[in-house]
Amino acid sequence: MAGSSAPWIGSAYLFLQSTCKTIALPALYESSQKKPCVFKALKLALADSTGSVNGVDMLKVHCSHPHLIVQLKFCKQENCRRFLRSYREGALQKSLQSHLQLSLATTTVPLKVELKAGSEHLDKMLKDEDHCLECIYREKPDRLPDEEITELEKGLKSLMLHQNINNNVAGKDCSSLKSLSRPYLPQGSSLPTQLTFIFQGQQFDNRTITPDDHQKFAKSVSKKWKQVGRSLQKSCRALRDPAIDNLALEYDREGLYEQAYQMLLRFIQCEGKKATIARLIAALEENGLVSLAEELLGLHPSEDCS
């Protein structure tokens, strides 16, 4: 394939078509109002498929009714391999549907997807991953990113930076976009920290756990702090046995608030920037503490994503 000193670069085309008659993706993308929403959904879903916002580049988005065609560029074989696996397993399609639903504030966006590299229809050979990689590698990108794509990228990065500032995420800047993971992150996943996550059908920006979150948790979790701790211990060594029982004994006299506070403090100190609100919300959901999760997220019934 590629020489040891030569960069691995390949190209492919992702064809997207809504199977819902009332949703025309090309028309939405051609709308100046909806284009940023569609682009954001594409960018996040593609990042989900590779585990990094830099895993695959969009060079141009073509509107060819009824298809929206995204020209992709891969600069690393491993990123391309992750993308192919995500595509083959249907994870990319589900992620696209989820992000489009949230960005466009609609009920559902059913999709039909196709993947091509030159004259090769990759959907017919997905089980042969190496052959797919070879086909993509043979197709060298014929352009730099379209000027429109560059402007949409800048707009998205500015939006994310603004959201991070509003959420008081220390040390975050545009480079924070480099690690995204699936919207539905499994408990205990070793994937990079996600940028957004889903709770009750809505999308939220991820962030580190704040002092305010910490205090609210300790005040409201009551006797279930141990259960939450055991959910968090699946992906946090500092909380593995006998740590939780030791905390219960050590702070028994101080009561439930201090026990819960110290447990979450240990999680935060151990995980650092990886001690995110998404992980805490997942642990709360797992233990039926939905009202506390809603309190931490400031969730309102009328809230939506546009």
Side-chain angles (χ1 to χ4, degrees):
M1 195 173 287
S4 58
S5 61
W8 197 99
I9 297 176
S11 181
Y13 287 88
L14 180 64
F15 289 72
L16 306 173
Q17 178 184 353
S18 170
T19 56
C20 177
K21 293 181 179 180
T22 59
I23 299 175
L25 291 178
L28 290 171
Y29 194 79
E30 289 170 339
S31 163
S32 58
Q33 183 181 5
K34 295 296 183 181
K35 180 176 291 186
C37 299
V38 177
F39 179 81
K40 177 182 178 183
L42 291 172
K43 188 71 177 177
L44 293 177
L46 289 170
D48 291 343
S49 72
T50 61
S52 168
V53 78
N54 296 319
V56 55
D57 294 326
M58 282 190 280
L59 300 182
K60 186 174 178 63
V61 178
H62 306 264
C63 293
S64 179
H65 297 268
H67 292 101
L68 199 65
I69 308 171
V70 187
Q71 185 177 4
L72 304 173
K73 175 186 175 183
F74 298 91
C75 294
K76 289 184 179 180
Q77 181 178 339
E78 188 55 38
N79 287 337
C80 189
R81 193 180 292 277
R82 289 194 193 103
F83 170 86
L84 285 170
R85 289 174 182 171
S86 176
Y87 182 88
R88 183 180 67 239
E89 294 165 3
L92 174 62
Q93 182 177 358
K94 290 179 181 178
S95 181
L96 278 166
Q97 290 175 167
S98 174
H99 285 302
L100 283 168
Q101 176 184 343
L102 292 162
S103 292
L104 297 170
T106 186
T107 53
T108 183
V109 185
L111 290 177
K112 178 182 178 182
V113 297
E114 295 177 87
L115 187 63
K116 297 180 181 180
S119 60
E120 300 287 352
H121 199 301
L122 301 185
D123 294 78
K124 298 178 181 179
M125 58 182 80
L126 289 173
K127 291 183 180 179
D128 190 346
E129 191 174 283
D130 288 334
H131 185 48
C132 288
L133 284 168
E134 184 68 40
C135 292
I136 292 172
Y137 176 72
R138 285 201 304 263
E139 294 299 316
K140 301 304 180 188
D142 59 358
R143 62 163 66 239
L144 294 172
D146 193 73
E147 185 177 330
E148 180 180 67
I149 295 291
T150 302
E151 290 303 313
L152 287 166
E153 291 266 13
K154 289 179 181 177
L156 181 58
K157 286 182 179 180
S158 295
L159 174 63
M160 295 302 182
L161 177 60
H162 178 69
Q163 290 174 340
N164 283 337
I165 291 173
N166 284 347
N167 286 326
N168 296 318
V169 181
K172 292 286 185 176
D173 57 15
C174 293
S175 64
S176 66
L177 288 172
K178 69 183 178 182
S179 60
L180 293 129
S181 59
R182 293 177 175 83
Y184 298 92
L185 186 70
Q187 185 74 20
S189 171
S190 61
L191 291 169
T193 301
Q194 65 203 97
L195 181 68
T196 61
F197 66 100
I198 303 297
F199 176 74
Q200 294 188 347
Q202 297 189 40
Q203 186 177 26
F204 293 89
D205 295 314
N206 202 1
R207 52 179 172 77
T208 51
I209 295 170
T210 66
D212 187 51
D213 297 328
H214 198 165
Q215 291 179 5
K216 286 180 179 178
F217 170 83
K219 181 180 178 181
S220 302
V221 72
S222 190
K223 294 179 180 180
K224 284 195 172 184
W225 73 267
K226 280 189 176 183
Q227 293 171 243
V228 176
R230 291 195 172 96
S231 293
L232 291 173
Q233 78 176 185
K234 296 173 187 177
S235 59
C236 177
R237 291 183 180 180
L239 293 178
R240 290 178 187 170
D241 293 335
I244 292 174
D245 288 335
N246 287 346
L247 284 170
L249 289 172
E250 186 177 353
Y251 295 96
D252 180 57
R253 291 186 179 182
E254 286 82 354
L256 292 174
Y257 174 93
E258 192 62 27
Q259 290 171 335
Y261 188 92
Q262 292 297 328
M263 183 277 291
L264 192 57
L265 178 62
R266 182 164 295 192
F267 173 72
I268 293 169
Q269 289 175 336
C270 174
E271 297 298 301
K273 290 182 179 180
K274 292 182 181 179
T276 62
I277 191 69
R279 292 173 70 183
L280 180 56
I281 293 300
L284 292 173
E285 272 195 291
E286 187 176 315
N287 292 287
L289 296 166
V290 176
S291 61
L292 178 51
E294 291 175 341
E295 182 182 358
L296 295 180
L297 293 174
L299 187 63
H300 300 289
S302 61
E303 185 179 31
D304 62 7
C305 299
S306 57

